[in-house]
Amino acid sequence: MTKNLRLVAAFIAVGALTSSLSGCSVATESAGTGASTSAVTMAESVTISDVWVKSVEDVSGVMPMTGYFMLVTNDSDADVTIVGGTAPTDVTMEPVETHEVVKNDSGEMVMREAVGGITIPARGSVKLMPGGYHLMLMSLMSPILAGDDLAITVEFADGSTVDVTGVAYTIENGIEKYSPEAGM
C-alpha cells in the first residue's frame, strides 16, 4: 500500500507540475501586448473580394490614370492599413497610390492621395469604389481594355503584400477633379 501511495503522490506531483507549467505558458503568451507568439501580417489578416479596375482605352492624354477597386474585410482584432502597391511595369512604372475623393474648401469634389493610406478597421470592412477610397494607377503606358484582367500587388503598412487580380470594366468618369494638393 505504501508503494501505491507513492505512485499516487507521484502522479499528483506530475499533474501539479504540468498544470503549473501550462499556466506559466498561458500567462507568458497573454502578457504584454496580448498578441500570440505567431505573428500574423496585415496581408494575412484581410479578405479581398469584388476586385475590378476601370478600363482605359486611350493612354495618350496628359496623365492617363485609372482606379482599382475592391472590398477589403479585416478579419483581425487590429486595424490594418493599405499604403499602396505595384503594378506590372508594362502598365505603369509608378507605384500604386492610395487615393480618396473629398470635398475641398470650395465645395468641389476632388481626388487626392490618401495621406497615411487606407485604414480598414478591426473586424470591419472598407469598399474601395469610384467616388471614395481607391487605389490609383498613374502614368499608364498601355491601355487597359474592358474584359482585361489586371493583377497588382497591394502593400500594407507592415510591409506585407497580397496579389489581387481585377477585371476591367467601362464606367463613366466621376464628377471629381484630380487635385493632388487639394485642401479640406
Side-chain angles (χ1 to χ4, degrees), residues 108-180:
E108 295 176 301
M109 297 305 289
V110 294
M111 178 180 56
R112 66 178 185 186
E113 189 168 358
V115 178
I118 301 168
T119 299
I120 317 305
R123 300 283 174 207
S125 61
V126 172
K127 186 171 189 172
L128 281 59
M129 61 185 186
Y133 285 120
H134 56 279
L135 298 178
M136 199 72 190
L137 285 71
M138 310 287 283
S139 304
L140 296 176
M141 299 184 309
S142 60
I144 302 168
L145 303 177
D148 286 352
D149 286 333
L150 179 62
I152 67 167
T153 300
V154 178
E155 183 179 351
F156 293 85
D158 66 354
S160 62
T161 61
V162 64
D163 295 332
V164 296
T165 300
V167 66
Y169 291 101
T170 301
I171 64 167
E172 293 297 317
N173 284 332
I175 60 169
E176 71 270 7
K177 298 177 183 177
Y178 179 63
S179 180

Side-chain angles (χ1 to χ4, degrees), residues 40-102:
V40 175
T41 66
M42 288 184 178
E44 293 169 327
S45 298
V46 299
T47 303
I48 297 177
S49 60
D50 304 329
V51 183
W52 64 283
V53 60
K54 180 183 180 295
S55 65
V56 178
E57 292 184 16
D58 182 11
V59 295
S60 64
V62 174
M63 187 188 304
M65 61 181 109
T66 193
Y68 205 95
F69 312 99
M70 64 194 74
L71 175 63
V72 184
T73 302
N74 180 355
D75 303 314
S76 76
D77 292 327
D79 293 352
V80 299
T81 303
I82 298 172
V83 294
T86 56
T89 55
D90 63 330
V91 175
T92 180
M93 299 291 286
E94 301 290 327
V96 173
E97 298 178 357
T98 56
H99 278 225
E100 63 184 340
V101 176
V102 296

Side-chain angles (χ1 to χ4, degrees), residues 15-40:
L17 179 60
T18 303
S19 176
S20 69
L21 285 176
S22 66
C24 287
S25 173
V26 170
T28 302
E29 229 173 349
S30 63
T33 63
S36 72
T37 56
S38 64
V40 175

